């Protein structure tokens, strides 16, 4: 569950004994992992043909029934990610944004346990295997958007990292024309229902094969 938001800062994940994740990016999803429930094209970005046409966004809808499945979905997504990718997570407190990011970190094989950025705006998790670092951003207090993020003095190059931003809608889109939006909906009110409806929206040519990659 995402924690309350406090004073901003940036940090690199430490490397204490027993906290490294060495999961390979190509880990296979078990049969119990969440499977696509439906797919569709949405959010037209331009005309369907002609020079300079912007491809339609690709939408993949999933149903996740437990935190373990949410984390496994993150590991599956990690197989698709590459340096320079921007992933924007949207969902209420407790929806599972940090759980999904934890799976991404395991799949990418980065250093340090992925937790909610409670006291920081951004946390950097370097790769343990020469792959891209994971930059985990909590944009809840990031009022200045891209300019403020550039002032964080991160010790990595964002174009060479995978950047995952919680609460980033309307704030960090300028980081990339191609981006993956992950919307997580959960049952509201006083309920123990762990089912989540997850909608992935790949915007830009980079994500044209998203449906096939997750299939």
């Amino acid at each position: 569950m995402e924690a309350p938001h406090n004073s901003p800062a940036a940090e690199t994940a430490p490397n204490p004994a027993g906290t490294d994740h060495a999961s390979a990016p190509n880990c296979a999803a078990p049969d119990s992992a969440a499977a696509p429930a439906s797919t569709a094209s949405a959010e037209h970005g331009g005309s369907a043909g002609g020079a300079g046409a912007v491809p339609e966004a690709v939408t993949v809808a999933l149903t996740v029934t437990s935190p373990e499945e949410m984390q496994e979905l993150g590991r599956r997504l990690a197989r698709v990610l590459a340096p320079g990718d921007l992933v924007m997570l949207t969902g209420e407190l407790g929806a599972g944004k940090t759980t999904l990011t934890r799976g991404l970190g395991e799949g990418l094989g980065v250093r340090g346990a992925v937790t909610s950025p409670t006291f920081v705006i951004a946390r950097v998790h370097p790769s343990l295997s020469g792959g891209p670092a994971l930059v985990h951003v909590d944009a809840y207090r990031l009022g200045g958007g891209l300019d403020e993020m550039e002032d964080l003095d991160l010790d990595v190059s964002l174009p060479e990292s995978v950047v995952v931003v919680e609460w980033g809608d309307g704030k960090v889109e300028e980081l990339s024309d191609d981006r993956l939006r992950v919307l997580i909906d959960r049952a509201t009110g006083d309920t123990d229902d762990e089912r989540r409806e997850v909608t992935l929206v790949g915007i830009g040519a980079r994500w044209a094969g998203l449906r096939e990659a997750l299939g």
Side-chain angles (χ1 to χ4, degrees):
M1 179 178 294
E2 290 75 7
H5 304 84
N6 298 289
S7 57
E11 67 177 31
T12 299
N15 188 19
T19 59
D20 289 346
H21 298 287
S23 302
N26 292 322
C27 60
D31 293 339
S32 60
S38 61
T39 57
S41 293
E43 294 190 15
H44 293 263
S47 58
V54 178
E56 294 179 345
V58 176
T59 299
V60 179
L62 309 167
T63 298
V64 174
T65 61
S66 69
E68 291 75 21
E69 285 191 6
M70 184 69 76
Q71 194 161 333
E72 177 58 33
L73 176 58
R75 287 190 286 265
R76 290 172 60 194
L77 282 176
R79 303 195 309 242
V80 182
L81 298 178
D85 282 343
L86 171 63
V87 182
M88 299 168 57
L89 306 182
T90 299
E92 296 181 359
L93 288 170
K97 299 186 294 297
T98 300
T99 300
L100 179 69
T101 307
R102 187 174 299 118
L104 289 175
E106 291 179 358
L108 290 171
V110 299
R111 189 180 80 197
V114 174
T115 60
S116 181
T118 305
F119 299 104
V120 298
I121 283 181
R123 181 176 286 119
V124 178
H125 296 271
S127 174
L128 292 169
S129 58
L134 171 65
V135 180
H136 184 198
V137 181
D138 183 341
Y140 189 82
R141 302 178 307 279
L142 197 65
L146 181 60
D147 291 338
E148 187 173 342
M149 189 165 170
E150 290 177 341
D151 291 339
L152 291 177
D153 194 26
L154 299 173
D155 60 352
V156 295
S157 169
L158 295 181
E160 296 174 0
S161 308
V162 171
V163 180
V164 178
V165 184
E166 300 186 24
W167 309 98
D169 282 356
K171 298 178 180 179
V172 298
E173 285 86 348
E174 293 179 59
L175 283 173
S176 178
D177 291 334
D178 298 298
R179 53 192 178 273
L180 178 64
R181 296 185 66 225
V182 181
L183 298 88
I184 306 174
D185 291 321
R186 67 177 180 87
T188 58
D190 185 12
T191 176
D192 293 329
D193 188 354
E194 294 184 337
R195 185 175 60 250
R196 305 288 190 266
E197 301 300 330
V198 182
T199 305
L200 301 101
V201 182
I203 300 171
R206 162 72 178 90
W207 301 103
L210 175 64
R211 186 178 302 124
E212 292 75 14
L214 288 175

